[in-house]
Amino acid sequence: MYHIYTYRMDYFKNKTVDELSTLHDMAFSSTSKATKTTFYQSLKRIEKLYDKPMAQIQLSFVNNPDEFLKKMDDSKYSKNTALTTITNILKLLKMIDAPLIVYNKWLTILKEKTEARTKKDNLVLKEKLKVLMDWKDIRNMINSNISKYIDDSNIPLDTFKNFLILALFTIQIPVRLSNYVNMKVVEDDDYLDEKSNFLVINDDAYKFVFNNYRTSHIIGKKVLFIQEPSLQYLIDKWLANYNKESNNLLIVSEKNKRPMNAKQIASSLHDATEDIFGSPLNVDNLRASYMKHISDLDPDFQDKLDIANILGYSTTEVLDKHS
């Protein structure tokens, strides 16, 4: 068995990153393009850690994980990046049919590091929840400002856009930033497809349709109805008075009328929260405050699961951590 493995290692250890990536794409042909890219990037990262081309590294890290871990710990890479790299080393081990004892050693490393990160994240979350703005206070401050944005016809475009973006994350369930990137505005379900995200305005019925988001491959399409008239009014005013030349895109840049990316939406959220609350908040702050609010309400399991799905989680575990 050892000689067979040595022979296999000899076959793979002289391969370049491109060659190993090609073999990976063939072995895992059904995986997404993003997953294949992540595998390639992980191999390139290993080259940087060892300061050698992959063919010169000779897959030495496979049987010497301690050396790899030291190099990773000494590097500038984040803990999440380290976990991603180890995950892709495990895929590499499957490709080369490494002995179970080798695979299990790397699997144990991944498990230990994942548990350590989870423990740290939970501690950080507990500290964050102590100082977060209460969701009720957030909603009250939004409600006290919203009439100005609905009634005043002289608000500059950028200021109105920033408040609208803030409203999207506070008047209803705060989804992730990327849910609104490239979102299209349509008047009927007949215009929907299964790849894009939409705002559907059909008479007095408003709803968001999320097909494309971080966990959509697990959860599938989700629909969020806009129940608050105030948010409907804001959207109507935005589309009628400010966003006339956007080709049916919901959120666009003032400069070129192109869709705003997640970084630009985050910047608008920063500016709007600083203006309304006196200090800037990001989407993670808003989501955490909302989840703590929901946990305090103690909804039944199905309601909690439905909310977790809209937030982009397949289970209620993250919500439960905010209690």
Side-chain angles (χ1 to χ4, degrees):
M1 178 68 71
Y2 174 79
H3 295 298
I4 294 175
Y5 172 59
T6 302
Y7 171 77
R8 287 173 179 156
M9 279 286 289
D10 287 342
Y11 173 77
F12 287 105
K13 68 183 182 182
N14 294 313
K15 299 291 185 186
T16 65
V17 166
D18 286 340
E19 289 170 334
L20 288 172
S21 293
T22 298
L23 291 171
H24 166 270
D25 294 353
M26 293 170 60
F28 300 94
S29 58
S30 62
T31 58
S32 68
K33 182 179 178 181
T35 300
K36 294 171 182 175
T37 300
T38 300
F39 180 82
Y40 174 85
Q41 291 172 338
S42 292
L43 296 187
K44 295 297 289 185
R45 192 174 301 120
I46 292 171
E47 286 189 329
K48 289 182 179 179
L49 288 174
Y50 285 79
D51 196 23
K52 294 179 183 178
M54 186 61 66
Q56 292 183 22
I57 297 173
Q58 298 272 289
L59 298 184
S60 61
F61 56 89
V62 167
N63 291 312
N64 193 353
D66 291 339
E67 180 186 16
F68 167 84
L69 293 173
K70 185 177 186 310
K71 289 180 180 293
M72 183 61 78
D73 289 340
D74 292 341
S75 74
K76 60 179 174 44
Y77 295 115
S78 68
K79 301 298 183 184
N80 284 346
T81 300
L83 290 176
T84 299
T85 308
I86 294 169
T87 299
N88 282 291
I89 288 175
L90 284 166
K91 294 182 73 176
L92 177 65
L93 295 178
K94 285 186 177 181
M95 282 171 48
I96 67 176
D97 199 18
L100 191 58
I101 190 172
V102 175
Y103 184 86
N104 283 342
K105 187 171 185 179
W106 280 95
L107 190 61
T108 299
I109 291 170
L110 178 64
K111 181 179 178 181
E112 290 174 350
K113 288 193 169 293
T114 301
E115 289 175 348
R117 185 191 68 172
T118 301
K119 184 177 180 179
K120 181 180 178 181
D121 288 348
N122 288 340
L123 290 173
V124 170
L125 177 61
K126 286 183 179 179
E127 292 302 311
K128 181 191 291 186
L129 292 175
K130 292 178 183 178
V131 297
L132 274 178
M133 282 188 68
D134 184 82
W135 185 254
K136 291 180 181 178
D137 294 335
I138 290 174
R139 282 299 306 270
N140 287 338
M141 293 180 76
I142 295 297
N143 290 338
S144 66
N145 280 272
I146 201 164
S147 60
K148 176 180 71 174
Y149 287 87
I150 292 175
D151 298 333
D152 190 341
S153 58
N154 296 313
I155 296 176
L157 185 151
D158 208 45
T159 303
F160 190 94
K161 176 198 68 185
N162 290 350
F163 187 80
L164 172 65
I165 288 173
L166 175 58
L168 292 175
F169 293 97
T170 52
I171 295 180
Q172 58 180 12
I173 298 176
V175 297
R176 293 190 175 98
L177 296 172
S178 57
N179 286 47
Y180 293 111
V181 175
N182 291 316
M183 175 167 279
K184 302 174 183 177
V185 182
V186 296
E187 297 178 350
D188 193 272
D189 286 356
D190 291 340
Y191 297 100
L192 301 181
D193 60 45
E194 296 180 355
K195 296 181 179 180
S196 304
N197 294 338
F198 296 91
L199 166 60
V200 182
I201 302 177
N202 191 345
D203 295 327
D204 293 329
Y206 293 63
K207 66 181 178 182
F208 290 111
V209 179
F210 301 120
N211 289 305
N212 184 12
Y213 55 96
R214 188 188 301 178
T215 49
S216 58
H217 61 291
I218 300 172
I219 301 172
K221 181 177 80 172
K222 298 304 297 181
V223 176
L224 176 60
F225 288 92
I226 303 176
Q227 307 286 5
E228 290 282 348
S230 58
L231 183 53
Q232 295 179 6
Y233 295 149
L234 282 174
I235 290 171
D236 285 344
K237 185 173 180 179
W238 168 251
L239 295 176
N241 298 346
Y242 294 97
N243 192 25
K244 300 176 182 178
E245 304 172 8
S246 68
N247 271 335
N248 295 325
L249 292 166
L250 176 60
I251 303 176
V252 294
S253 169
E254 180 181 4
K255 293 181 180 179
N256 54 24
K257 303 302 179 185
R258 292 181 179 177
M260 293 173 65
N261 58 36
K263 185 176 180 180
Q264 291 171 317
I265 295 175
S267 178
S268 285
L269 196 59
H270 174 282
D271 293 346
T273 53
E274 188 169 37
D275 180 50
I276 300 297
F277 306 132
S279 60
L281 299 175
N282 59 36
V283 70
D284 290 334
N285 299 146
L286 296 174
R287 284 165 62 86
S289 179
Y290 175 78
M291 285 188 276
K292 184 178 187 304
H293 170 69
I294 292 300
S295 293
D296 290 344
L297 293 177
D298 194 25
D300 66 37
F301 176 79
Q302 188 56 54
D303 286 343
K304 189 186 291 188
L305 181 60
D306 290 341
I307 293 170
N309 286 172
I310 291 292
L311 286 163
Y313 302 116
S314 58
T315 71
T316 64
E317 181 181 358
V318 175
L319 265 177
D320 293 336
K321 289 180 180 179
H322 288 74
S323 59

